Amino acid sequence: MDLTITDRGLLQVAQRGGPPVLLHPVWLRERLPDAAVLDPRTGQRLQEAAETPRDLRVVSAEPDGTIAFSDGFATRLPSDWLTNAIATCPAAGHHVHWDATLDRGRFPAADLADLRADPAALSALLEELDAYGFAVVRGVPIEMDGGLALAGLMGPIRITNWGGMADVKAIPNAYDLTMTPRHLEPHSDNPYRDPVPGYILLHCLENDADGGDSTLVDGFHAAAILRRDDPAGFATLASTDVTFRYRDDTAFLEHHAPLIARNAAGDVVQIRYSNRTEMIGRLPIDRLDAYYAARAAFWQLIAPASPLTLRFRLQPGELLMMDNYRLLHGRTGYTLATGSRHMRQCYMDRDTVQSRRRLLQVA
Ligand SMILES: [Fe+2]
């Protein structure tokens, strides 16, 4: 290991084929694989990092990885530890933006039997789910709770005020427009919840009525286009909290958040779009003008006839798994007199699915 120390006491690590990497002494200290710093069993930190002296310096670094600090603490780094520590988020996924040209034959897809039999097949599907935001699983038992066979491979489902696995079919006196034969505009589910359900598992039991095709839009792709073509509109949607609300006799669910959410680095991390449940507050007129213009611009990108909209038909025994932080889903209207359309759906939390993906990466 080629280690040197700068005048300021930073550790400088030589890199093959690139500039050296400078490591802050506190950054290094607070993650040292030393039983005095991190609990060996859990990997959790034992020392209060905020109390680390901010003028800490590295005072010596030996070729065998022994590092000493200005407060007298010394440890020996295992080989390869520095290399791994320097790499940024090696497990982070990547997003593939798609549009209506994505053929059904290129959809991320797998058979449930293969996912059950082979963890590598489940791992591959979860990586594709992460990249594309959706996946189709075939061969799911055509029975009321058949979708739980897939969910169980990943973890517990999210229980809401509607229970776990719930019907999506037309009923009299529907409590939600989902439960009617009406078309559904592209939307994300339940933005009035906190947290919003991370993934939707939509399992098809019957689908032989006229109409009832599924639609999907890559919301991250739409947001990227808006950001490129209408930066002011993008900034408006990303910085304006709106109210999402659902109310019935037993539930009053409300959440305030922007249509486009970013992380601290400015990357888009969540799309909320739900015409049925969104109401903006009484903002100043000019801010409302800006919001309505920006929302209209975003709608043009995700509207059913847009070049971003995928349209396809789910067959009985297929289950469509969707990233509810990224995708906007909908359906065409259907005619009850011509047949039946019966889906069942449940939610899974984001961390549940991501946990399975990460565990399978290291398995
Ligand atoms: Fe929905």
Side-chain angles (χ1 to χ4, degrees):
M1 218 176 302
D2 187 358
L3 305 175
T4 52
I5 301 168
T6 70
D7 292 346
R8 202 197 132 179
L10 311 180
L11 184 67
Q12 181 169 284
V13 186
Q15 299 287 299
R16 217 175 274 141
V21 172
L22 286 174
L23 299 181
H24 194 292
V26 176
W27 185 94
L28 186 60
R29 176 67 163 273
E30 66 185 17
R31 71 197 60 235
L32 287 176
D34 185 292
V37 179
L38 303 183
D39 176 53
R41 194 174 65 81
T42 63
Q44 296 179 353
R45 191 153 58 211
L46 299 164
Q47 293 186 339
E48 181 55 57
E51 293 181 356
T52 307
R54 292 197 303 282
D55 61 355
L56 192 71
R57 302 164 59 89
V58 176
V59 294
S60 71
E62 306 299 329
D64 70 351
T66 301
I67 307 285
F69 292 84
S70 52
D71 63 351
F73 185 86
T75 193
R76 185 177 168 188
L77 302 175
S79 63
D80 287 343
W81 183 86
L82 264 178
T83 305
N84 293 329
I86 289 170
T88 47
C89 297
H94 67 290
H95 294 141
V96 177
H97 287 177
W98 47 263
D99 58 25
T101 63
L102 185 70
D103 296 331
R104 176 112 202 214
R106 287 165 52 214
F107 284 13
D111 291 314
L112 179 61
D114 293 337
L115 301 178
R116 277 176 147 157
D118 184 4
L122 180 60
S123 177
L125 188 77
L126 292 181
E127 293 299 334
E128 287 202 298
L129 174 70
D130 204 54
Y132 287 82
F134 75 101
V136 175
V137 177
R138 301 174 295 247
V140 178
I142 303 174
E143 51 195 54
M144 288 294 272
D145 288 342
L148 296 181
L150 173 66
L153 297 178
M154 295 176 281
I157 64 170
R158 169 96 170 261
I159 305 297
T160 73
N161 53 306
W162 297 321
M165 188 67 80
D167 274 326
V168 180
K169 69 178 199 178
I171 59 170
N173 304 316
Y175 59 80
D176 191 282
L177 290 178
T178 304
M179 310 293 277
T180 72
R182 176 186 182 276
H183 72 278
L184 289 180
E185 301 88 351
H187 64 281
S188 59
D189 267 12
N190 295 195
Y192 38 76
R193 296 188 192 276
D194 184 16
V196 174
Y199 292 90
I200 307 167
L201 277 66
L202 183 67
H203 178 209
C204 178
L205 298 179
E206 289 179 283
N207 198 14
D208 59 10
D210 287 347
D213 287 354
S214 297
T215 64
L216 282 181
V217 177
D218 181 352
F220 284 2
H221 193 181
I225 293 171
L226 186 71
R227 191 175 212 163
R228 182 193 68 200
D229 295 348
D230 182 2
F234 175 89
T236 296
L237 294 189
S239 62
T240 306
D241 276 348
V242 299
T243 299
F244 299 98
R245 182 183 297 145
Y246 173 88
R247 190 172 184 180
D248 64 19
D249 291 341
T250 60
F252 192 146
L253 306 168
E254 187 173 290
H255 192 50
H256 310 277
L259 265 57
I260 297 174
R262 293 174 293 183
N263 62 15
D267 301 325
V268 173
V269 292
Q270 185 175 4
I271 305 293
R272 298 176 179 85
Y273 197 96
S274 173
N275 181 58
R276 286 174 275 157
T277 61
E278 175 238 317
M279 293 288 170
I280 192 165
R282 191 174 56 77
L283 297 179
I285 300 299
D286 60 335
R287 288 197 60 197
L288 287 177
D289 278 341
Y291 177 74
Y292 292 140
R295 186 180 61 179
F298 191 66
W299 169 252
Q300 288 304 314
L301 291 167
I302 66 170
S306 81
L308 295 191
T309 300
L310 275 183
R311 181 170 163 173
F312 58 98
R313 191 170 186 82
L314 277 179
Q315 301 296 336
E318 290 184 328
L319 186 152
L320 174 63
M321 188 165 176
M322 296 171 271
D323 181 343
N324 193 41
Y325 279 40
R326 172 174 170 183
L327 264 54
L328 306 157
H329 63 280
R331 70 164 181 241
T332 62
Y334 60 99
T335 311
L336 272 175
T338 60
S340 301
R341 188 179 194 274
H342 186 189
M343 308 276 173
R344 298 271 287 170
Q345 80 169 28
C346 67
Y347 297 124
M348 297 189 74
D349 281 332
R350 195 156 199 79
D351 55 355
T352 298
V353 175
Q354 290 296 330
S355 169
R356 179 60 58 206
R357 181 175 79 87
R358 296 292 301 275
L359 284 170
L360 288 167
Q361 281 180 337
V362 296

